[in-house]
Amino acid sequence: MSATAPAPAPAPGKSADERLVRVSTVKRLLGRPELGAVVGAAAVFVFFSFAADSFLQASSLSTILYSASTIGIMAVPVALLMIGGEFDLSAGVMVTSAALVSSMFSYQMTANVWVGVGVSLLVTLAFGFFNGFMLTRTKLPSFIITLGTFLMLTGLNLGFTKLISGTVSTKPIGDMEGFSSARALFASQWTIGDITLKVTVVWWFGLVALATWILLRTRAGNWIYAVGGGADAARAVGVPVRRTKIGLYLGVALCAWISGQHLLFSYDVVQSGEGVGNELIYIIAAVIGGCLITGGYGSAVGSAVGAFIFGMTSNGIVYAQWNPDWFKFFLGAMLLLATLLNAWVRKRAEESA
């Protein structure tokens, strides 16, 4: 019987199995896509702490959290979609569409508002499925597909609202059956001392936790990163690219429905022209949080940090008593700085790998 040949010795300075190499905490931190956003958030927080006396008050922090949550609920699925290599320019008006469908269906059918909420969920998911289906079938860029959906929904929101209600806003439904219970789920709040916590913050944190679990602990998360890194390569190794992309657009639609119900049950009426331009804010929050435009890189936690930066900036300017016209300037500057910082962090992470 011949003896088995001994395994070759590892090269000097190399471990027999690179998976067993202990990675330092610094290298792990440099590899996190949200690192740049966390540094930026800390800088913005410190800046407005000195620039605005009321910034650190409990009531101010409550307002900042609420502002961040209304953006963050949508930034989470938009971040996942960008990790998968796609965009959705219809996300902003889709929120308004979800609110309009709930309100007008409930009012016109004189039904329990929960019926309108259920119909709105089905309709909004249909919008998301349409985006994903058209993208995977036509092979057109997601920019073109969702820009078309954006324009169609903008027209439908205004056209149907004026046709049914006679005005650009919906009729009040606050006295209908089921309104109070729906408001408790989508638009309630709790006051603890000087802190007022909106239910959107709970929705936001829950969605961030769910999305993080999906990305890091499930096979679907691996598919999302693989599709964003290269759809053809992912398809070659058995990743269901078409199903993954449709699922990501359905995720955007689901969160648009949640945001839409909050909009409706917070104010009772909905203006048909709302939501235009918000899709860019969602994308900005995701990019500030570390998502790459090219896909394949990012995190749900990063999108939450990006939304928090947005909340701090939009309210910090008001608390500092500056002209709010400067807000867009600061938002654009933060986008550029965050993108440059994220690129630098990623480069350092790749060099130290």
Side-chain angles (χ1 to χ4, degrees):
M1 180 180 295
S2 60
T4 303
K14 294 288 186 178
S15 171
D17 190 342
E18 292 184 356
R19 293 173 297 178
L20 302 179
V21 176
R22 186 179 298 276
V23 180
S24 69
T25 303
V26 174
K27 286 186 177 181
R28 281 201 298 267
L29 287 176
L30 285 175
R32 294 302 306 167
E34 63 272 8
L35 175 61
V38 171
V39 173
V44 172
F45 183 84
V46 172
F47 175 78
F48 281 113
S49 297
F50 288 98
D53 295 335
S54 60
F55 185 78
L56 293 179
Q57 293 180 1
S59 57
S60 300
L61 293 177
S62 300
T63 304
I64 291 170
L65 271 178
Y66 174 63
S67 298
S69 67
T70 56
I71 300 300
I73 288 174
M74 288 301 298
V76 170
V78 168
L80 265 62
L81 185 63
M82 291 182 66
I83 294 171
E86 305 297 346
F87 290 94
D88 191 346
L89 296 180
S90 65
V93 292
M94 196 182 296
V95 171
T96 307
S97 299
L100 290 172
V101 171
S102 288
S103 178
M104 290 190 291
F105 191 88
S106 298
Y107 185 84
Q108 294 300 319
M109 300 301 293
T110 62
N112 187 300
V113 297
W114 282 105
V115 178
V117 169
V119 171
S120 174
L121 175 60
L122 296 177
V123 172
T124 310
L125 289 176
F127 293 149
F129 179 82
F130 174 81
N131 281 336
F133 178 81
M134 291 295 293
L135 174 75
T136 56
R137 282 295 184 181
T138 65
K139 310 299 182 183
L140 289 173
S142 56
F143 177 86
I144 298 298
I145 296 292
T146 59
L147 178 61
T149 308
F150 162 79
L151 294 172
M152 289 189 292
L153 289 180
T154 302
L156 286 173
N157 289 349
L158 180 60
F160 269 110
T161 305
K162 293 183 72 173
L163 178 66
I164 295 175
S165 302
T167 64
V168 296
S169 62
T170 60
K171 302 293 186 182
I173 60 171
D175 59 347
M176 293 186 63
E177 184 179 355
F179 185 89
S180 58
S181 58
R183 169 172 277 182
L185 179 61
F186 295 109
S188 59
Q189 63 182 36
W190 304 275
T191 301
I192 306 174
D194 294 331
I195 298 177
T196 300
L197 182 66
K198 302 275 190 176
V199 72
T200 50
V201 177
V202 178
W203 279 104
W204 178 34
F205 287 172
L207 289 169
V208 171
L210 175 62
T212 301
W213 176 76
I214 290 173
L215 286 175
L216 301 181
R217 300 297 183 202
T218 69
R219 184 169 54 179
N222 292 331
W223 291 347
I224 294 171
Y225 280 110
V227 168
D232 293 335
R235 188 177 292 107
V237 296
V239 174
V241 175
R242 180 170 177 266
R243 188 170 60 182
T244 300
K245 292 194 174 186
I246 291 177
L248 289 171
Y249 277 104
L250 287 173
V252 174
L254 175 63
C255 291
W257 172 75
I258 295 172
S259 295
Q261 305 320 297
H262 171 70
L263 178 66
L264 171 61
F265 293 108
S266 292
Y267 302 104
D268 193 9
V269 297
V270 183
Q271 299 292 326
S272 59
E274 291 186 22
V276 176
N278 284 350
E279 62 282 343
L280 297 179
I281 295 177
Y282 307 148
I283 293 173
I284 288 171
V287 172
I288 290 176
C291 291
L292 293 182
I293 300 294
T294 53
Y297 190 78
S299 70
V301 174
S303 73
V305 178
F308 187 59
I309 291 176
F310 177 90
M312 286 192 293
T313 305
S314 59
N315 290 279
I317 290 175
V318 175
Y319 297 144
Q321 298 182 350
W322 297 345
N323 188 335
D325 294 338
W326 288 96
F327 169 67
K328 291 295 178 65
F329 169 81
F330 282 101
L331 192 61
M334 281 192 305
L335 174 62
L336 291 176
L337 290 174
T339 304
L340 291 172
L341 181 58
N342 291 336
W344 178 82
V345 169
R346 188 164 184 257
K347 182 179 179 181
R348 289 296 301 272
E350 291 174 348
E351 290 175 351
S352 61

